[in-house]
Amino acid sequence: MNSDIATVLFNEGTIEKKIRELGHQLSIDYEGKEPVVIGILNGAVVFMTDIIRNIRTSLTIDFLSLSSYGSGTKSSGIVKIRKDIDTNLENRHVIVIEDIVDTGLSLKYLLEYLNKHKPASLKTCILLDKPKAHKVDIHIDYKGFEIGNEFVVGYGLDFDEKYRNLPYIGILKKEIYS
Ligand code: IMP
Ligand code: MG
């Protein structure tokens, strides 16, 4: 696996420090609000389990799975819900945890969907953002890192469902996917 990585962008220590900072901010902002933290499967799983252990207020968790129709390293923008949430979101404070925003189409779809459940508030916590790739206007409330348009894997992010278990985030060698 390691030999498929061209460059390590964020190592374990850098990620851990960023998650402590985000968790600290979320702990302050959600004190006493008992938020529902929704992780988007599968990419956000690693980030989700780390971030919730850094939020020092009572909360509940749930998961949602989207399928984006498209192959390889480009997202098609056509999104469907594969696994729905089980929590009633009405009047709850909702925090969406996502691994990465690329075009922003998945997140936009997701936010419109979750808003229909009438939450008291709806905020986004995103590990990685590719601002130059956005095709729609997306508001990110809590952000880990901004990156360029390179394709990255590790720490939950995959190529063809692999590399999710790498403890760091790195740029995948072009020859692996081209
Ligand atoms: P968007 O709808 O274009 O914003 O795509 C978001 C989804 O595309 C993410 O949830 C990822 O599954 C996938 N994705 C986009 N860029 C990358 C990347 O660099 N590495 C791994 N997955 C990515
Ligand atoms: Mg994904």
Side-chain angles (χ1 to χ4, degrees):
M1 273 199 303
N2 290 302
S3 59
D4 296 346
I5 305 303
T7 319
V8 174
L9 285 182
F10 308 107
N11 64 27
E12 284 181 77
T14 308
I15 297 170
E16 201 184 307
K17 184 168 173 280
K18 180 62 75 178
I19 284 171
R20 272 204 303 270
E21 286 167 20
L22 287 172
H24 180 70
Q25 192 57 50
L26 286 160
S27 304
I28 295 167
D29 295 353
Y30 286 89
E31 173 69 49
K33 290 186 174 166
E34 198 158 284
V36 189
V37 182
I38 301 179
I40 311 306
L41 299 171
N42 298 331
V45 157
V46 181
F47 180 37
M48 172 89 166
T49 56
D50 279 347
I51 195 93
I52 58 171
R53 284 176 292 165
N54 280 275
I55 303 176
R56 309 271 172 237
T57 179
S58 178
L59 57 79
T60 64
I61 65 169
D62 206 337
F63 292 94
L64 192 147
S65 171
L66 294 177
S67 52
S68 170
Y69 296 100
S71 59
T73 58
K74 295 262 182 304
S75 89
S76 66
I78 306 164
V79 205
K80 271 197 170 172
I81 287 173
R82 188 159 38 190
K83 183 236 166 270
D84 207 345
I85 41 167
D86 300 309
T87 312
N88 179 1
L89 299 185
E90 199 170 337
N91 293 320
R92 296 288 304 273
H93 294 281
V94 176
I95 307 168
V96 175
I97 308 287
E98 185 44 319
D99 53 356
I100 189 164
V101 173
D102 184 18
T103 61
L105 290 163
S106 315
L107 191 62
K108 185 175 190 293
Y109 171 86
L110 194 69
L111 293 176
E112 280 167 8
Y113 174 76
L114 293 174
N115 255 323
K116 291 191 189 134
H117 292 74
K118 306 207 180 327
S121 69
L122 179 59
K123 299 267 161 119
T124 52
C125 176
I126 314 290
L127 181 63
L128 298 171
D129 183 25
K130 296 181 175 176
K132 292 190 207 83
H134 290 192
K135 287 188 180 155
V136 286
D137 216 14
I138 279 292
H139 183 73
I140 299 175
D141 299 286
Y142 302 90
K143 187 189 293 193
F145 308 99
E146 289 191 353
I147 60 171
N149 282 352
E150 54 272 3
F151 195 82
V152 296
V153 293
Y155 197 73
L157 291 119
D158 74 306
F159 170 64
D160 206 11
E161 293 301 322
K162 288 177 289 197
Y163 307 102
R164 294 194 194 277
N165 55 323
L166 284 177
Y168 56 85
I169 296 164
I171 301 175
L172 192 62
K173 282 185 181 163
K174 282 222 167 64
E175 66 241 40
I176 306 292
Y177 61 85
S178 55

